[in-house]
Amino acid sequence: MSPIIVDNKEQLVQIKDDHPRIFTKPMYFEQQISGSLASIYLREGVYEKLQHVLQLLPKEYSLILYDGFRPFQVQQNLFHLFLNEIKRNNPTFSEKEIINETLKYVAYPSFEPDRISPHLTGGAIDLTLGNVKGDPLDLGTAFDELSEKSVTRYFEDHLDENVDALQNRRLLYNCMTAVGFANYLGEWWHYDYGNIQWARRMGEKKAQYGGVEVTIENNLVKEFRFR
């Protein structure tokens, strides 16, 4: 039986650079994706859990946040952007193969409860490890890289290829999952908490975060409402 969503109405909060070991780098805004946000937004509970992660990480490490809550328009734009890139890179693929490959890297834009896009809930986070200055460490691929190396356990199966990336992925994975996050195994940078994807992976009967709709002004969230 699929989990149900019972939204706890937890607030969507803007993550500012006021924590000495949390840095924000809103990648889609920097890439000028239409409708993208100039700040990272998360549910309050997700941000609290990231602070618990930092208690587990050695002091010389930081977290760099690339994306959190994502407006529906941005989800649509990213889906078509990835789909077109995969189509260009795989000219022999059928339409079904192109869509299936696209879905490995970006969720279909949907508010439907059983297939809601994780970033529409405020319960998904894309992130990496950094040093104390906020410079990213080596985790083996670029963020959003369309590569088999983006699979979280890739270096577990290729132990001698990149030892630094192997160790950094293990560290990020172990600390994130220890506080309750669930990793999407196709992307080393993507973790969920409280949404339907998290509930499925954790065997929970209920998800606590459903969809959020926002009004945007100057690339920032002006107001939000729960669906």
Side-chain angles (χ1 to χ4, degrees):
M1 182 175 173
S2 180
I4 61 171
I5 298 172
V6 182
D7 202 307
N8 64 5
K9 303 296 193 294
E10 205 171 84
Q11 297 294 293
L12 193 67
V13 295
Q14 182 181 7
I15 311 305
K16 300 179 180 179
D17 290 329
D18 53 5
H19 192 292
R21 295 171 64 202
I22 294 180
F23 298 86
T24 62
K25 187 177 175 62
M27 294 293 280
Y28 298 128
F29 181 74
E30 294 188 5
Q31 294 169 12
Q32 299 183 327
I33 302 297
S34 178
S36 56
L37 299 171
S39 286
I40 304 293
Y41 292 82
L42 295 167
R43 296 285 190 126
E44 282 181 324
V46 178
Y47 183 51
E48 289 173 3
K49 284 195 169 292
L50 290 179
Q51 295 175 70
H52 295 162
V53 171
L54 288 170
Q55 295 173 8
L56 300 178
L57 281 171
K59 298 295 185 184
E60 64 269 24
Y61 289 89
S62 66
L63 296 175
I64 305 170
L65 313 186
Y66 288 147
D67 192 36
F69 169 77
R70 191 181 294 168
F72 187 79
Q73 177 191 355
V74 177
Q75 189 69 32
Q76 287 180 314
N77 292 338
L78 286 173
F79 185 83
H80 291 295
L81 184 71
F82 277 61
L83 186 143
N84 289 332
E85 183 174 349
I86 287 167
K87 197 171 188 176
R88 284 194 303 271
N89 294 341
N90 301 277
T92 63
F93 274 18
S94 67
E95 287 297 318
K96 184 177 181 180
E97 288 173 323
I98 290 168
I99 290 173
N100 287 341
E101 187 68 16
T102 302
L103 290 171
K104 291 180 182 179
Y105 301 101
V106 59
Y108 186 80
S110 172
F111 273 121
E112 292 298 318
D114 62 339
R115 59 182 304 192
I116 186 171
S117 309
H119 282 279
L120 300 182
T121 69
I125 180 72
D126 294 333
L127 78 172
T128 191
L129 289 177
N131 61 20
V132 290
K133 296 180 180 179
D135 301 317
L137 302 180
D138 182 9
L139 274 87
T141 73
F143 167 63
D144 265 354
E145 185 171 315
L146 303 179
S147 164
E148 63 175 1
K149 295 185 181 183
S150 294
V151 173
T152 303
R153 65 166 294 111
Y154 174 84
F155 293 110
E156 300 291 340
D157 299 325
H158 303 81
L159 290 173
D160 299 324
E161 186 171 326
N162 187 333
V163 175
D164 286 341
L166 169 67
Q167 293 175 342
N168 287 334
R169 285 194 192 185
R170 283 179 178 175
L171 183 60
L172 180 63
Y173 180 90
N174 288 334
C175 291
M176 292 290 285
T177 56
V179 304
F181 284 98
N183 172 243
Y184 168 52
L185 300 181
E187 297 173 344
W188 59 261
W189 56 81
H190 180 106
Y191 287 83
D192 292 291
Y193 178 76
N195 57 26
I196 199 79
Q197 289 79 8
W198 167 86
R200 287 184 182 127
R201 294 184 200 125
M202 302 296 284
E204 299 285 343
K205 295 180 180 179
K206 293 181 181 179
Q208 61 206 50
Y209 302 147
V212 181
E213 292 182 304
V214 296
T215 301
I216 300 172
E217 188 175 279
N218 297 323
N219 296 101
L220 296 173
V221 173
K222 181 181 179 182
E223 56 186 30
F224 63 87
R225 53 203 169 274
F226 303 107
R227 284 183 62 93

